[in-house]
Every structure is written in C-alpha cells, then in structure tokens.
Amino acid sequence: MTAPTALGTKITTLRESRELTQAELAERCDCDLSVIEGLEAGQMAPSLAPLIKITRALGVRLGTLMDDDTALGPVHLKADDIAEATRMHSLETVSDAGDLRFFSLAEGRASRHMDPFIITISPTGESDHELSQHEGEEFLYGMEGSVEVAYGKEVYVLSSGESLYYDSIVPHQVRAHEGQGAKFLAVVYTPL
C-alpha cells in the first residue's frame, strides 16, 4: 500500500477540521469517492481539475494543497530555490496530457489569489481527450517546445514566446503537442 503524501495529508487534515467524511467531501466537490480516497491515501496521482473542486469545497486556495502557506510578505525565489511542487500526472483525471511536473513560483506566499508554476511536460502516448472545466482563469506562456491547448472546440498550439489567456469555465486541456516535451509558465487564478 502506498503511504499518504503531503498532499493527501493536507486534504485529510482540512476535511477532518471541517468535520466532513470522505463521502461528504466527494459529494460537495462532485467527485467520485474513489478520487478522495485515492488522493488521501497517496494511491492516485493528483490532477488539477479535481484538486480545484476539492479546494472550493474546503474553502481554501489551490496553493494551500500545493505548498506550505507560510510567508506574509513577498516571495523571492532564486533559481536554485525553485522546487518541484506536488507531482501531477496530468491536468485531467484521465487524459493524454502527458506527465506534467509543476514547479511553484510562489511557494510559501500566504493568501495568494494566483498560483504561478513552471510546468514541464513529457508525452505519455495515452489517447483520451477528456476536457476539464472549473471556475477561474489561466494564463500560459510557452518557454520551450510546444504545448497543445484544447479550448472548447478550438485547439491552440503554443510555441516558445507565445501565450494564451482563457476562462477556465470553458472545457479545456493542456497537453503534449505531437509527442514532444515542452516547458511553459502557467498562472492559475481560482476565486474562492
């Protein structure tokens, strides 16, 4: 059996502090009970869409789950200080988005409303194209390689130096483009 992760422990702690069972949290965030159980037990790779639903149901920001919310002032990170945040398999529960690694650019910043990340993506070869939607907005800026963004009925390809800003309520997915790896800046805003 897999040991609980820091993310799983945070979800459990927040859920229990609100006196919710796993089933009640699953109902509040419109997720399958198996998602809550799997995340808390460290048996499921976290995905952005269900994490946003969970944070909304718990009344916390996404960064509360992704890092240690400790600093009151500005956060200044030097290149060597940027560490990988909670590992996510993809931006969706099941998709061909690829293997995404998130590097938080605001780790430790208390009460922030945006979550900026450097994200690297490696294609996995899976073929499902399930789109996600949630409240908020997202900004993506290509740094290396190309990423594909399915947004509603459109598909955008972002190369180095290109950006895309969109409303997250529209079904979307960020994924590897043509089997290549990429690196991009993502800023996610999710209102409480």
Side-chain angles (χ1 to χ4, degrees), residues 18-191:
R18 285 150 179 79
E19 300 180 357
L20 295 172
T21 66
Q22 288 179 327
E24 289 169 332
L25 177 58
E27 183 178 332
R28 283 187 181 194
C29 66
D30 194 29
C31 289
D32 288 335
L33 177 58
S34 63
V35 171
I36 304 299
E37 292 170 339
L39 287 172
E40 287 190 5
Q43 298 171 332
M44 175 181 282
S47 300
L48 188 58
L51 288 181
I52 289 173
K53 290 179 179 180
I54 290 167
T55 58
R56 299 280 297 163
L58 294 172
V60 299
R61 61 179 185 74
L62 180 61
T64 300
L65 297 182
M66 303 292 284
D67 59 47
D68 300 325
D69 182 21
T70 58
L72 295 176
V75 173
H76 175 225
L77 295 176
K78 296 185 179 192
D80 292 342
D81 297 334
I82 298 173
E84 186 173 1
T86 300
R87 183 78 182 253
M88 294 192 188
H89 172 65
S90 73
L91 291 173
E92 316 309 326
T93 303
V94 177
S95 76
D96 69 340
D99 187 27
L100 280 75
R101 295 178 65 202
F102 287 66
F103 299 87
S104 177
L105 299 177
E107 184 173 352
R109 171 67 169 120
S111 303
R112 65 182 179 265
H113 298 283
M114 300 180 297
D115 286 297
F117 299 98
I118 297 290
I119 302 174
T120 60
I121 185 169
S122 301
T124 60
E126 296 175 15
S127 61
D128 190 354
H129 290 298
E130 185 176 330
L131 303 182
S132 166
Q133 65 187 68
H134 53 85
E135 289 185 50
E137 299 173 348
E138 295 180 36
F139 171 79
L140 307 178
Y141 178 80
M143 297 172 67
E144 296 174 9
S146 296
V147 294
E148 189 173 293
V149 182
Y151 183 77
K153 295 182 180 184
E154 302 291 324
V155 175
Y156 299 89
V157 176
L158 294 181
S159 297
S160 179
E162 297 178 347
S163 67
L164 183 66
Y165 190 111
Y166 55 89
D167 290 317
S168 306
I169 197 70
V170 175
H172 61 281
Q173 180 190 60
V174 180
R175 55 189 179 231
H177 177 65
E178 294 183 347
Q180 61 181 306
K183 182 178 182 179
F184 58 100
L185 168 71
V187 181
V188 178
Y189 166 73
T190 307

